[in-house]
Each structure stands twice: as C-alpha cells, then as structure tokens.
Amino acid sequence: MDFKRYRKYYLARTFWFRYVGIGLVVLGAAMFVLGYMNYNYFIMPTGVFFAILGGVVGWAPSAGRADDKEIMSAIARETEGAVDKALETTGLRPHIVETLPPILVCGFYYDVKNPYIRRGGDGHWRTSDCAYTTLIFTKLGICAVIDRFSLTDENTIKTEQIKQLPFSDFDGAHFEEDEHIIAYGNTSETARFSRIVFTLGGDVVFSVPAERSASVEIAVEDVLKLRQRTLNSQNN
C-alpha cells in the first residue's frame, strides 16, 4: 500500500483550489474562443495562459494524494479473499446455512488521537483505522472473524479476533450510528460512523464497525428469523 498517498488523503480538509482552477480554465477557454471568433488573435495567448494556470492551481495541490476511489480500492484489495480465509480459519464451511452465505462488512474505528480522518466527496466519513468482519451464519449461531488494519501506518500489525455468538447469547441485531464532534479545517463538524450491534435484553453483547447497506440489513433480519425458528424447535 502507498501509505504516503493515503496520509495525504486523510489530512486534506478543503478543495477551494479545485474550484478556482476550474474557474480559471473556463475563463481561459472562453477568452480563447472569443478571440478566435472575433479574429482578435492577441487575446488568444492570454486565454491559453489562464487555462494552463487554472490547471496548475486546480490540480497541482492534489499531486501525490489519493482520492476516494483509490482509498476504497485499497480497502477492497486488503479484504480480498477474507470470507474464504475466515471459513478456513474457523473450519465452519460444512456448517454454514445454505440460505445464509457468509457476508463481509467493513467499517472504520474512530480514535480522538488519530489525526487521519476525512469526509469523502460522497459524504462518508473515513479514518485510517479500518476493520472488516466476516459474519458466518450456522445452525447454532454466528461466528464473527474480525480483522483490523491501518491505511497510514506501515508498522501497524494486523489483528485478528474470533467471536462466537450462539443464538442464546443475543436476541436482537441492528445498525447504530456513533457521532463525534471534531475540529475539521476551520470549523467543528459531526463525524458519523455506523456499526452493527448485537444485543441481549437491550444490552450490547457485541458490535463491529460496518458501513450500512440494504444487503446487510436483510441478512440481519434473516438471521434473527433463523434464530427464532431454531430456538422454537429446541423448546418443542
């Protein structure tokens, strides 16, 4: 991973230069076209100058810095094969529920001491501390294999944790959103991070960072239904 490019991504706070650059490029192009159409060839070099200046102002500050797409691609590469690895590690491949294949959820940990935080162009908040969890659904419960890694510190050692949740250990599951007020540029903003939470009697028994998605929400509903059917059959 290119940790230097990723650090620059997370430390970026504003893109005012991009808008200035676009404005200069548009101005330069307009001057060039008007000069050409009116046979005013003296103004055309000025238009070219402003267009080049706009390109430099708008894009030079971004040189050597990753963007949202590159960050997500890096996470995708890091999590590639995670489901198969989790199945091999746990040995649960023969025990998974056929109608509920394992799913991979990804999210971000927030640490007030971590300066590497950024709101992407898509409005999503990201930190450099990433987590991905493989949820394996069996006929007796859930097994979660959690991995954690950093996008900015090459010396960080990946960690792996395995958590087993029998159906009797939880009775609910849902997404929650944590809010943190942070200094972002010259203002304070609310950074939001979602996680999937398993509860028992209203108390949290297990949670992992996870970006909210419809597919994961459907899987959570399905596993709660499977849990209820399993417990009902055991009681009969």
Side-chain angles (χ1 to χ4, degrees), residues 81-92 134 136 145 147 160 162:
V83 172
D84 286 334
K85 178 185 174 184
L87 289 172
E88 293 299 326
T89 300
T90 59
L92 291 174
T134 302
I136 304 171
V145 181
D147 286 273
E160 182 179 83
I162 299 177

Side-chain angles (χ1 to χ4, degrees), residues 213-234:
S213 69
S215 60
V216 176
E217 288 185 322
I218 292 173
V220 168
E221 292 178 2
D222 289 342
V223 78
L224 289 177
K225 293 176 182 177
L226 173 63
R227 171 191 175 275
Q228 193 60 52
R229 289 196 302 269
T230 302
L231 293 180
N232 288 341
S233 64
Q234 290 176 352

